[in-house]
Amino acid sequence: MHSKVVKTVCPFCGVGCGMYLTSDWKGKVCGVTPQWDHPISRGKLCDKGWSTAYAVSSESRITHPLRRERDKFVHISWEEALSSISRALQDIIDDDGPQAVGIISSARATNEDNYAAQKFARSVLKTNNVDHCARICHSPTVAGLKQVLGSGAMTNSTDDVSKADVIMVIGADPTENHSVLGGQVIQAKLAGAKLIVVDPRVTRLAKLADIHLQLQPGTNTALLNSMLQVIISNGWHDQDFIAQRCEGFEKLEKHVEKVTPESVEAITGLDAEQIRQAAKLYSQTEHSMILYGMGITQFVSGTTNVMALADLALVCGHIGKPGTGINPLRGQNNVQGACDMGCLPNVYPGYQLADEKETQAKFSAAWGGDVATSAGLTSMGMTKAALAGQFKGLILFGEDPVVTDPDQNHVREAYQALDLLVVAELTMTETAKLADIVLPAASFAEKSGTFTNCERRVQCIHPVIPPLGEAMGDWQWLQALAKAMGSDRLNWPDTESVFDEMARLTPQYQGMNYPKLEQGFGLQWPCNESAPQGTAILHQQQFPIGKARLTPAHYVPIDEPTDEDYPLLLTTNRLHFHYGCGSMSRKSPLLERETPPGILFINPLDAKALSLHPYHPVGVRSRRGYIETRAMITKDVPPGVVSMPYHFKEAPSNQLTNTALDPITKMPELKACAVSVTALPIDHMPSPVWQLTGEG
Ligand SMILES: Nc1nc2c(c(=O)[nH]1)N[C@H]1C(S)=C(S)[C@@H](COP(=O)(O)OP(=O)(O)OC[C@H]3O[C@@H](n4cnc5c(=O)[nH]c(N)nc54)[C@H](O)[C@@H]3O)O[C@H]1N2
Ligand SMILES: Nc1nc2c(c(=O)[nH]1)N[C@H]1C(S)=C(S)[C@@H](COP(=O)(O)OP(=O)(O)OC[C@H]3O[C@@H](n4cnc5c(=O)[nH]c(N)nc54)[C@H](O)[C@@H]3O)O[C@H]1N2
Ligand code: SF4
Ligand SMILES: [Mo]
């Protein structure tokens, strides 16, 4: 084999940095080089991007299909794996109907893989039970922005950060999590832009901010409504824009009329004067841009928060212009794509509504036969139905819900109750360990296809090595499984044909094809006859729904406030050096040495009350579980609030988190629950969770 270099895209976050990937003469991925001419990353990569070779390295990869026999896994052939999965699925469907089976797809896999997954669900299994991690990420964005603006995606391009005069970062920590974009925010600030940060924690950007609104977790809507009140009562709103492009202003004006900054001081913990200053700065500047993330969406009030934020941008006319818009920082490398592909129970590719007869007719004509008609379950809905004995067969690829979904013990219990759990993975994750059959998936370094980044840019990836061992690309094993079930619906000769079929049926992607995408650095949707070169900024002339719908948002408190037994409020955050469940980033010795496996951030005042020393072993308990970890004493979290990352399977914060849901999108409240912290003896080594629970 010869050494090889290919042009591809980073497989971690939604920024979508360009990289060259190198393999050595043994066929091992051995190096990463940034692309100097890439329009987003311009020669930069963050520590995770630089560590990509470790993330897909051969040492720990699953290379053969495996079947669980009691508590060990044995190698089986693909033929055996596919025939036993298809038999088990068929048995469940025969006994309980297609509502008892479903798929969880992957925002880490390609558009082609995700298109195949929802097609497999809808046209082979005949169920709309298809979902993926956007459920617990930006599903409130998809729903909330769709309601107000008609489209749930970033309105601008990442490059627009440099054109903004005011950047309001709310509930996002981009220097850690969208690092190359976070770097652009710092550059814009150094070049003179003003920065407003809204976050209960003192993030790196908060330290640089002109205004840091350090609100109480879960109080975004109260704050945003009070900012609207200040803006409207001072006449700082954009009356022309509202008259020409929005409806519902009078209702909104009435709704926020009495929500003065003083009236929300006790809820938000913020000083009224500071709220006024932020409202003035945001509204009175020509180019104001909002960047937001999980501190907005991961609440029972997720959709409400998104709508309030969209109202704020609209009322100020801050949308549809360079350097001016509302930008959800989509998290995973291809979460925008997985949503666009329709891996959501309620929509087909391109957000065409699954419960509409026309959509069903369009796709059943295109796919050659009938499709699912009943309403589908969300991922958490499947978990709940499994516990109730109504959902029995799950195919899951490229996610690790045992570590990343809330209330770990209940997820484990639900997955153990299934008759069939199939997991297609790169490595043995905590979820894969529960599977009946594990399939070896090819990583991004071993396949072609496309990823859609946070700014709606569809970019091609290329294989630098062949799939390891017997690993297969996700759409390829889905195709093989469909065949084993007697269906030829997924009958594509190559990856490009999957894309072409999808583009024909997906209005936003209609003008795209591989040769066009390969010409430069991909294209931003919508790309169609009227925008053949794609669209950098959305909503410039009008919204997809005509006029935007200003929607009054009611403040909803968090589900589980603190009390005597659980006196501290736990929020969860990410660390720059680790990613998701850690199954890829923790393969890198460089990243692994940066942080201990598990950590609890706690304010010095609370630490003192518990007599904690730095790195003191602590026990953390909620109504759902208990873990042990070490305390990091820091003023970056306010008194009364503790924070934990969720990347570490040894000390998973999701042992503790709450499953209370946003009623509109079923987003769980991952950013707030009540806990108690106890000091453990100073020489105690924190026990990993599997020792504490006796699992695994
Ligand atoms: N290093 C790294 N990068 C990643 C990931 C990773 O795991 N590791 N994951 C990727 C994914 S999937 C995603 S979705 C993105 C997420 O990226 P972010 O949205 O930046 O994610 P978080 O750090 O979870 O949360 C953001 C911030 O919300 C704040 N917050 C908590 N409660 C509130 C509140 O009530 N109001 C406000 N305004 N803020 C609040 C937290 O303190 C935190 O600073 O990152 C992506 N990038
Ligand atoms: N407490 C708390 N919990 C959270 C969050 C939080 O802020 N706080 N954030 C939530 C959010 S926003 C998200 S997005 C989720 C993320 O949760 P997950 O999606 O479960 O996390 P990842 O680590 O991205 O898991 C992806 C898995 O995909 C595998 N993989 C990568 N590429 C491929 C591929 O091409 N094919 C296949 N088959 N597998 C592949 C990797 O090996 C990895 O194990 O976590 C959520 N959980
Ligand atoms: S910012 Fe995101 S896309 Fe860019 S190198 Fe880092 S993880 Fe990869
Ligand atoms: Mo996410």
Side-chain angles (χ1 to χ4, degrees):
M1 218 177 276
H2 290 292
S3 169
K4 193 174 165 188
V5 181
V6 295
K7 183 178 160 192
T8 192
V9 179
C10 176
F12 286 104
C13 92
V15 176
C17 298
M19 61 166 59
Y20 296 103
L21 209 53
T22 310
S23 62
D24 64 15
W25 58 275
K26 286 184 187 157
K28 196 170 151 56
V29 182
C30 63
V32 170
T33 320
Q35 284 170 24
W36 292 100
D37 50 352
H38 193 272
I40 300 162
S41 46
R42 299 203 175 102
K44 292 187 281 296
L45 291 172
C46 78
D47 299 82
K48 293 175 294 297
W50 278 110
S51 297
T52 301
Y54 292 110
V56 295
S57 71
S58 48
E59 286 75 34
S60 50
R61 289 282 299 279
I62 303 165
T63 50
H64 301 274
L66 303 168
R67 186 178 48 228
R68 189 151 51 82
E69 281 181 4
R70 283 192 207 93
D71 42 10
K72 66 177 198 314
F73 282 99
V74 294
H75 281 187
I76 52 171
S77 67
W78 268 105
E79 210 183 340
E80 218 181 323
L82 295 170
S83 71
S84 62
I85 299 168
S86 80
R87 237 179 300 122
L89 283 172
Q90 203 55 61
D91 285 350
I92 299 172
I93 294 171
D94 289 347
D95 292 348
D96 299 280
Q99 283 305 91
V101 293
I103 293 197
I104 291 181
S105 77
S106 178
R108 306 296 298 281
T110 62
N111 284 321
E112 292 74 2
D113 296 330
N114 281 285
Y115 178 78
Q118 58 84 39
K119 183 173 179 184
F120 181 84
R122 294 185 162 119
S123 82
V124 180
L125 299 178
K126 308 270 192 295
T127 177
N128 279 312
N129 294 343
V130 54
D131 207 3
H132 72 285
C133 70
R135 178 68 41 214
I136 55 176
C137 184
H138 269 291
S139 61
T141 292
V142 176
L145 291 189
K146 182 125 184 119
Q147 155 68 23
V148 182
L149 308 177
S151 165
M154 227 167 115
T155 62
N156 295 66
S157 302
T158 51
D159 192 40
D160 275 23
V161 166
S162 64
K163 300 177 187 141
D165 302 318
V166 168
I167 304 170
M168 175 158 133
V169 179
I170 176 164
D173 191 0
T175 57
E176 302 296 301
N177 305 330
H178 295 84
S179 314
V180 166
L181 180 63
Q184 282 171 248
V185 176
I186 294 180
Q187 270 179 346
K189 166 73 187 144
L190 295 177
K194 298 276 187 226
L195 184 59
I196 304 170
V197 171
V198 188
D199 201 301
R201 296 186 312 126
V202 187
T203 60
R204 203 180 309 189
L205 288 182
K207 289 176 188 150
L208 294 175
D210 298 277
I211 301 176
H212 176 204
L213 299 175
Q214 196 174 6
L215 80 181
Q216 275 297 314
T219 61
N220 295 296
T221 299
L223 165 67
L224 293 166
N225 278 340
S226 74
M227 286 175 74
L228 281 163
Q229 190 277 342
V230 173
I231 291 165
I232 297 171
S233 64
N234 281 290
W236 293 337
H237 51 300
D238 185 336
Q239 296 185 11
D240 291 344
F241 184 90
I242 295 168
Q244 285 158 23
R245 306 217 27 206
C246 305
E247 56 189 42
F249 179 71
E250 288 72 27
K251 246 188 170 168
L252 180 69
E253 183 179 24
K254 185 117 201 56
H255 176 68
V256 297
E257 197 175 50
K258 295 201 174 73
V259 193
T260 59
E262 283 73 16
S263 75
V264 298
E265 270 187 336
I267 298 171
T268 60
L270 295 170
D271 172 47
E273 191 41 40
Q274 221 195 358
I275 299 178
R276 287 210 164 80
Q277 282 170 11
K280 183 168 188 188
L281 183 58
Y282 174 77
S283 64
Q284 293 299 281
T285 310
E286 174 88 20
H287 298 291
S288 290
M289 169 175 262
I290 294 171
L291 305 176
Y292 76 90
M294 299 298 100
I296 284 286
T297 57
Q298 289 179 332
F299 287 101
V300 291
S301 57
T303 310
T304 314
N305 292 335
V306 171
M307 294 191 302
L309 203 51
D311 288 343
L312 177 69
L314 285 168
V315 159
C316 301
H318 285 338
I319 217 154
K321 290 180 281 186
T324 314
I326 173 163
N327 296 290
L329 299 178
R330 303 304 303 260
Q332 305 266 44
N333 57 323
N334 195 37
V335 68
Q336 182 64 57
C339 291
D340 299 344
M341 294 305 107
C343 283
L344 297 166
N346 60 332
V347 288
Y348 274 75
Y351 307 95
Q352 300 173 74
L353 294 173
D355 61 359
E356 279 188 354
K357 288 271 175 296
E358 301 83 73
T359 312
Q360 293 167 9
K362 172 177 169 175
F363 281 87
S364 76
W367 290 346
D370 54 340
V371 294
T373 48
S374 310
L377 293 168
T378 63
S379 54
M380 306 270 303
M382 295 185 225
T383 309
K384 203 168 155 204
L387 284 170
Q390 291 154 356
F391 181 84
K392 299 188 172 163
L394 176 61
I395 298 179
L396 179 151
F397 66 98
E399 282 199 13
D400 189 10
V402 170
V403 176
T404 58
D405 272 9
D407 193 357
Q408 176 172 63
N409 295 333
H410 106 291
V411 178
R412 194 185 282 281
E413 206 186 309
Y415 286 10
Q416 281 168 338
L418 292 168
D419 291 349
L420 174 72
L421 175 63
V422 178
V423 174
E425 250 297 347
L426 309 184
T427 58
M428 220 20 148
T429 57
E430 296 307 286
T431 306
K433 286 179 191 162
L434 302 180
D436 299 293
I437 293 187
V438 179
L439 300 176
S443 79
F444 93 112
E446 296 138 44
K447 59 188 179 186
S448 52
T450 53
F451 292 156
T452 306
N453 82 342
C454 65
E455 52 160 32
R456 301 166 275 106
R457 184 184 297 270
V458 183
Q459 306 187 84
C460 293
I461 61 163
H462 300 286
V464 69
I465 53 168
L468 292 185
E470 292 178 19
M472 272 203 223
D474 294 301
W475 77 255
Q476 281 97 339
W477 63 257
L478 280 159
Q479 177 182 61
L481 182 58
K483 271 204 188 114
M485 295 188 74
S487 166
D488 61 1
R489 295 260 180 108
L490 271 62
N491 219 0
W492 303 288
D494 52 30
T495 313
E496 188 170 1
S497 313
V498 187
F499 187 91
D500 290 342
E501 176 182 312
M502 177 279 293
R504 264 199 310 281
L505 295 165
T506 308
Q508 296 87 334
Y509 285 67
Q510 219 145 46
M512 294 183 193
N513 55 49
Y514 278 10
K516 245 174 112 175
L517 294 173
E518 295 282 20
Q519 273 165 24
F521 295 91
L523 292 165
Q524 286 170 278
W525 67 251
C527 175
N528 47 33
E529 263 173 26
S530 46
Q533 290 314 311
T535 310
I537 301 174
L538 296 180
H539 317 313
Q540 296 196 58
Q541 308 303 331
Q542 61 167 18
F543 296 97
I545 45 172
K547 282 190 169 188
R549 296 182 283 238
L550 290 168
T551 309
H554 296 265
Y555 164 63
V556 183
I558 57 168
D559 176 72
E560 192 182 67
T562 54
D563 57 22
E564 242 172 55
D565 296 334
Y566 299 98
L568 293 166
L569 194 64
L570 172 77
T571 186
T572 57
N573 63 291
R574 289 164 162 77
L575 301 178
H576 171 72
F577 296 105
H578 285 293
Y579 197 91
C581 69
S583 71
M584 290 173 79
S585 55
R586 294 191 68 192
K587 297 294 181 305
S588 159
L590 302 178
L591 299 179
E592 191 63 354
R593 74 179 181 200
E594 294 290 339
T595 47
I599 202 147
L600 176 86
F601 298 97
I602 186 164
N603 185 274
L605 282 178
D606 296 317
K608 193 164 173 223
L610 292 161
S611 306
L612 299 181
H613 299 287
Y615 293 103
H616 206 114
V618 284
V620 193
R621 189 179 294 285
S622 79
R623 286 185 175 81
R624 293 151 295 276
Y626 172 75
I627 54 172
E628 293 182 358
T629 185
R630 286 188 186 274
M632 164 86 95
I633 303 171
T634 168
K635 284 187 183 151
D636 290 352
V637 290
V641 174
V642 288
S643 188
M644 280 190 81
Y646 74 103
H647 311 303
F648 302 101
K649 62 183 180 191
E650 297 88 337
S653 49
N654 283 324
Q655 256 288 310
L656 310 168
T657 44
N658 191 354
T659 54
L661 301 178
D662 167 18
I664 303 169
T665 61
K666 313 287 183 229
M667 156 66 86
E669 192 149 78
L670 290 165
K671 284 280 182 276
C673 75
V675 296
S676 65
V677 175
T678 44
L680 299 173
I682 192 82
D683 57 352
H684 176 80
M685 274 294 281
S687 308
V689 71
W690 48 87
Q691 273 175 23
L692 298 167
T693 57
E695 292 282 356

